[in-house]
Amino acid sequence: MAKHPAQARRDEIVRLATTTGLASVEQLSDEFDVTASTIRRDLAKLTAQGKLARTYGGAMSLAHHPEASLRQRLGEAHVAKRDIARWAAAQIEPGETVLLDAGSTTGALADEITASEALTELTVVTAGISAMGALSDSPGIDVIGLGGRLRPLSQAFVGPLAESAVQRLSFDRAFMGADSVHAERGICEADLEQTRLKELMMSRADHTYVLAHAAKLGQSPFHAWAVMPARWTLVTDASATPDALQAFRDNGVEVVVAPRRD
């Protein structure tokens, strides 16, 4: 059975992005003799499927580093994420307003907050569906969800509506997730909309914590980066190597190794 023309075009877009590197909207529009709007819709769908990463004016291939879905990441480094989340929850004071980024580790933090009897009169702002679900029935916790466009792979809201909401808020603490985190480059993600939102979140927080287990340190799987604030804290797990941690310390980053759960 022949492929639907739109699917055949999208497959060819992925092939071109893989073989030539960057693919611009203008080039693809000329190549396939369709409007720029059609190409943008193709790129949006391919990005949501984890086959491409959006760039300004086009897209790039993720053939060598496909983005894992949130469901896939839930099964990775489970113990490490729980250790990190436990330490992070202990930093929150009753009455604070905190931001939980989307992700599996911040989802674990939401579970820790829910289980804590000490955290009351708390306001939690999040763009992550898993965090919203975990906190939705928690007494004494006011949950504010950031609206926007749902990104299926990360189960998170992104885009101008989410950005607008963040600009109207401030946070005592922001707990950030990351596909990876680099000592010099900052937080790495598959999509520029994600990094833009993360930058806004961090800019509105008094204290920023990046929650990342050891396997995410020093990696550069994608080409979209969030510029970090002047001061921030990396929270990782006990399996991180001394060299990996020292790279962050050498760049002025506060490093916390979460203790293992007893």
Side-chain angles (χ1 to χ4, degrees):
M1 180 180 295
K3 290 183 179 180
H4 187 278
Q7 184 58 55
R9 184 178 63 249
R10 289 167 189 153
D11 290 346
E12 183 64 10
I13 288 172
V14 173
R15 189 192 70 78
L16 288 172
T18 301
T19 57
T20 65
L22 294 175
S24 74
V25 170
E26 182 178 4
Q27 290 170 337
L28 294 171
S29 178
D30 291 341
E31 175 76 20
F32 297 104
D33 194 25
V34 295
T35 66
S37 296
T38 297
I39 293 297
R40 291 190 184 95
R41 287 194 293 271
D42 287 341
L43 297 182
K45 188 173 186 65
L46 291 168
T47 300
Q49 293 172 344
K51 295 179 179 179
L52 294 179
R54 291 299 297 271
T55 67
Y56 288 114
M60 64 180 64
S61 171
L62 296 181
H64 300 297
H65 299 285
E67 180 185 4
S69 68
L70 180 63
R71 185 181 298 275
Q72 290 172 313
R73 285 182 277 130
L74 286 173
E76 299 173 353
H78 179 75
V79 173
K81 292 174 183 178
R82 284 294 173 186
D83 290 341
I84 292 169
R86 185 184 187 188
W87 182 92
Q91 310 314 302
I92 302 171
E93 300 288 342
E96 289 189 334
T97 295
V98 300
L99 181 284
L100 299 190
D101 191 13
S104 54
T105 309
T106 50
L109 174 54
D111 291 336
E112 292 287 337
I113 292 172
T114 299
S116 174
E117 296 180 359
L119 294 178
T120 58
E121 303 302 318
L122 197 69
T123 298
V124 179
V125 182
T126 185
I129 289 180
S130 60
M132 291 179 194
L135 297 165
S136 61
D137 294 326
S138 301
I141 297 180
D142 185 22
V143 180
I144 298 176
L146 300 176
R149 179 180 63 82
L150 177 63
R151 192 170 185 274
L153 271 176
S154 56
Q155 289 292 285
F157 293 100
V158 295
L161 293 178
E163 294 168 11
S164 179
V166 169
Q167 289 173 321
R168 286 160 173 77
L169 296 164
S170 62
F171 319 108
D172 295 295
R173 305 175 197 277
F175 297 94
M176 310 302 299
D179 281 342
S180 67
V181 58
H182 193 281
E184 297 177 355
R185 295 179 177 179
I187 292 175
C188 183
E189 295 289 344
D191 189 289
L192 285 169
E193 278 191 311
Q194 293 174 287
T195 55
R196 166 65 177 167
L197 184 58
K198 288 176 189 290
E199 288 178 2
L200 289 174
M201 289 172 169
M202 293 186 288
S203 74
R204 307 294 293 179
D206 293 337
H207 303 280
T208 294
Y209 307 83
V210 177
L211 312 183
H213 63 80
K216 294 185 174 184
L217 305 185
Q219 303 301 308
S220 303
F222 306 115
H223 296 279
W225 295 89
V227 178
M228 306 304 292
R231 299 184 64 182
W232 59 283
T233 301
L234 169 68
V235 187
T236 190
D237 68 281
S239 67
T241 66
D243 287 347
L245 299 179
Q246 192 60 46
F248 288 90
R249 294 189 177 108
D250 289 345
N251 278 275
V253 179
E254 180 182 0
V255 175
V256 171
V257 176
R260 295 185 185 277
R261 189 186 294 266
D262 296 333

